[in-house]
Amino acid sequence: DLKASLTANLEKYKNLVYTEETIKEAKADRALLNKVSTAINDEKKRIKNKLLEPYMDFEEKCKELMAMVSEVSEGIDSQVKAFEQKTKNEKLQEIMAYWIENVGEFNDLIDFDLIFEERWLNSSYSMKKVQTDINHIFEKTKMDLATLDSTIKDENIKKQVKDFYFNNIKSPSILSLSIQESQRIEEANKKIE
C-alpha cells in the first residue's frame, strides 16, 4: 500500500522542472522527500532491531562459549609453543655441537650465523639432513678455495677475494662472484698503477 501510494505521489516530482522563481518550493519538496526517506529508514532500523533481538541474545551466548573455549585453547597453545621452542633450542645446541666438532680448518673463517638456516630447526628437517647440509658447506668451501687458489696468482688479491668469499658464503653462486671480485680488484689495481 505504501509503495503504491509513494509511486503515485513521486510521479509528479519526476518530470518537474524548477525555475528561479520556484526554488523555494524545490527546497521544500526536497526537505519533504528527505523526511519521507528518513522515516522509512528509521522504521527499517526499528523493525531490524526488533527482529535481531533473539539473534543478539544468541550471538552473546555464542561469544561467551567461544571465550570459554579460547581461554583453555590459549593455555594449551602456550604450552605447545613452549615445548616447540624447547625442542628447537635443543636441536640448535645439537647443530652447534656438530658444527664445532666438524668445522676444523674453517673455525675462524666460516661464521656459523652466516650459513645457519632456520629450516634446520623444523622437526620435519632431520638432524641427518642438517649434518649433510653442513658437510656440503665444508666440501664446497674446500673445492671453491682450491679453485680460487689455482685461478688467482697474486697473493694479496687472493686474500681479499677469500675475505669476500667468507663474508658472502651464503650465496649459492659465491664461487663465480668471488672470481668476478678478483677480476674487479685486478682491474682496480691496474687503474691505480
Side-chain angles (χ1 to χ4, degrees):
D1 289 347
L2 182 57
K3 185 176 182 181
S5 173
L6 269 175
T7 304
N9 285 322
L10 291 175
E11 198 60 42
K12 67 180 180 185
Y13 293 107
K14 281 187 180 175
N15 298 319
L16 197 58
V17 178
Y18 294 97
T19 62
E20 212 173 302
E21 292 80 30
T22 59
I23 202 70
K24 245 185 194 181
E25 292 160 19
K27 289 180 179 179
D29 290 346
R30 182 182 64 185
L32 176 67
L33 293 172
N34 286 342
K35 280 182 184 177
V36 169
S37 181
T38 300
I40 293 169
N41 194 41
D42 289 347
E43 185 61 12
K44 177 196 76 167
K45 287 178 183 175
R46 187 185 72 77
I47 297 297
K48 181 181 176 183
N49 288 338
K50 195 168 191 77
L51 291 172
L52 284 178
E53 278 177 19
Y55 170 77
M56 298 304 273
D57 180 52
F58 174 72
E59 184 180 42
E60 284 305 310
K61 288 175 180 171
C62 287
K63 283 181 181 177
E64 182 184 350
L65 296 174
M66 288 165 61
M68 290 168 59
V69 172
S70 288
E71 183 182 347
V72 174
S73 175
E74 286 168 10
I76 294 170
D77 184 54
S78 67
Q79 290 181 50
V80 169
K81 286 181 177 169
F83 174 77
E84 287 173 347
Q85 190 58 49
K86 180 179 178 274
T87 305
K88 283 183 176 185
N89 291 344
E90 288 169 357
K91 191 169 185 184
L92 178 61
Q93 294 305 314
E94 191 177 347
I95 292 168
M96 290 178 81
Y98 184 81
W99 175 267
I100 292 166
E101 286 173 27
N102 295 280
V103 71
E105 63 188 290
F106 301 121
N107 187 31
D108 293 326
L109 299 172
I110 302 177
D111 185 352
F112 178 78
D113 293 335
L114 281 180
I115 59 94
F116 176 75
E117 294 186 33
E118 202 62 40
R119 67 185 174 146
W120 289 350
L121 298 179
N122 294 343
S123 59
S124 60
Y125 208 86
S126 72
M127 192 59 198
K128 188 172 177 76
K129 283 184 186 176
V130 174
Q131 290 170 351
T132 302
D133 288 355
I134 290 173
N135 291 337
H136 175 74
I137 292 166
F138 295 148
E139 289 304 313
K140 183 181 180 317
T141 303
K142 283 178 190 172
M143 290 189 302
D144 288 353
L145 292 180
T147 302
L148 292 174
D149 284 339
S150 64
T151 308
I152 305 166
K153 301 302 174 204
D154 185 304
E155 288 301 318
N156 286 330
I157 294 175
K158 196 182 294 186
K159 284 179 186 175
Q160 291 176 48
V161 170
K162 285 182 178 180
D163 184 53
F164 174 85
Y165 180 93
F166 287 114
N167 285 326
N168 298 282
I169 196 165
K170 185 83 171 182
S171 172
S173 55
I174 186 57
L175 180 60
S176 60
L177 290 174
S178 296
I179 291 171
Q180 289 173 4
E181 179 68 7
S182 74
Q183 293 166 350
R184 189 196 65 74
I185 294 169
E186 281 180 34
E187 288 172 19
N189 287 347
K190 285 178 186 173
K191 288 178 185 175
I192 291 169
E193 287 173 13

